[in-house]
Amino acid sequence: NNTYSVTSNANIRKAISLAVDRETLVKSAYQGRANCATSVFNPATPTGKATAIFSKTANTAAAKQAIAQSGYDQSQLKISILTNENTNRVATAQLVKQQLEAVGFEVTVNIQSNESYQAMVSNLSFDIYIGETKIPNDMSLNSFFASGGATSYGISLDNSAAASAYNGYLYNNAEIGNFMLEFSEEMPFVPLVYRQGMICYSKSIQGDIQGSYENYFANIEDWHY
């Protein structure tokens, strides 16, 4: 949340990103079915590889330095992590809690029903929330940086240099490197992982199964038992 509490400080948000061990999240919370978010963009794509700015592993020394630069003292480093009851998200929240505590934060995990979780996110009643969204094939980040975007909660769009730089990049007024620089300085949200999808079907179904996450039932007319 960029709007209030300790997470309104950009250095604190940078410290959170630096303290998170994305590799551990992939291996433990997602059982290896994800990629570390080393970029805002999917790291499996050329854009993601070219704009990698996050480490897969935690950098506790740099995280502590960012905390020192924030001006907050130890007694102020209290953070709550909001999540719904989704198994992967709860596991992620618990791991992030441990990782943040390792650099000096006092952390609680707030697990809510999905209805309550959505209401609290909408009302900005969180320091950090564990969220998930599907990035479209063109890797548009409008859900974060457009007014009313589905994942723009907690981002101060009117005061966001990252949002402004992203719009500049979209309309060819700025390079992607400028956006990445502003993003890394402001850290409006912390990318954690890109999940990998999996399609399961019965062994009794025969044929050349060509389904994808975009169309699960592609060529269904060719399936048979």
Side-chain angles (χ1 to χ4, degrees), residues 20 26 29 32 35 45 48 50 79 96 98 101 114-115 130 133 138 143 154 161 168 185 199 203 207:
V20 170
V26 167
N35 291 322
T45 65
I79 284 180
V96 170
Q98 296 171 15
E101 288 175 339
N114 195 54
E115 183 179 356
I130 304 295
T133 189
D138 64 1
S143 70
E185 286 298 313
I199 299 174
K203 290 183 179 179

Side-chain angles (χ1 to χ4, degrees), residues 1 5-19 63 66-73 76-79 100 103 105 128 185-187 190:
N1 194 336
S5 84
V6 66
T7 54
S8 63
N9 186 292
N11 282 308
I12 291 295
R13 299 195 297 271
K14 283 191 268 188
I16 291 168
S17 179
L18 289 163
I67 290 171
Q69 291 172 343
S70 75
Y72 285 105
D73 60 40
Q76 296 172 296
L77 300 179
K78 297 180 180 179
I79 284 180
L100 294 185
V103 299
F105 288 97
I128 301 172
E185 286 298 313
E186 182 181 307
M187 199 58 63
V190 180

Side-chain angles (χ1 to χ4, degrees), residues 27-214:
K27 291 177 180 178
S28 297
Y30 291 94
Q31 297 81 47
R33 298 297 304 174
N35 291 322
C36 297
T38 51
S39 169
V40 182
F41 302 101
N42 193 324
T45 65
T47 302
K49 292 175 182 176
T51 57
I53 56 174
F54 306 119
S55 173
K56 293 182 179 180
T57 56
N59 187 335
T60 55
K64 290 178 179 179
Q65 184 178 14
I67 290 171
Q69 291 172 343
S70 75
Y72 285 105
D73 60 40
Q74 192 74 31
S75 65
Q76 296 172 296
L77 300 179
K78 297 180 180 179
I79 284 180
S80 175
I81 302 176
L82 173 66
T83 180
N84 64 4
E85 297 170 319
N86 176 279
T87 303
N88 298 121
R89 295 190 203 177
V90 170
T92 297
Q94 297 290 0
L95 288 169
V96 170
K97 176 182 186 292
Q98 296 171 15
Q99 293 163 1
L100 294 185
E101 288 175 339
V103 299
F105 288 97
E106 181 181 329
V107 185
T108 57
V109 174
N110 183 6
I111 304 172
Q112 296 286 331
S113 68
N114 195 54
E115 183 179 356
S116 178
Y117 163 85
Q118 290 182 351
M120 292 180 72
V121 170
S122 297
N123 294 328
L124 305 186
S125 300
F126 61 87
D127 298 321
I128 301 172
Y129 78 93
I130 304 295
E132 184 175 343
T133 189
K134 180 179 177 181
I135 302 296
N137 288 344
D138 64 1
M139 292 187 290
S140 169
L141 301 178
N142 278 332
S143 70
F144 296 98
F145 297 123
S147 179
T151 51
S152 64
Y153 299 106
I155 300 175
S156 302
L157 294 177
D158 291 340
N159 303 311
S160 173
S164 177
Y166 181 68
N167 285 328
Y169 163 62
L170 279 185
Y171 296 105
N172 298 317
N173 295 322
E175 298 294 329
I176 192 171
N178 182 60
F179 163 62
M180 296 306 301
L181 177 63
E182 294 292 353
F183 187 97
S184 63
E185 286 298 313
E186 182 181 307
M187 199 58 63
F189 62 91
V190 180
L192 298 176
V193 302
Y194 271 82
R195 295 186 63 179
Q196 296 172 346
M198 182 168 58
I199 299 174
C200 301
Y201 55 90
S202 170
K203 290 183 179 179
S204 63
I205 298 178
Q206 305 296 314
D208 179 20
I209 311 299
Q210 297 180 5
S212 70
Y213 76 90
E214 296 172 314

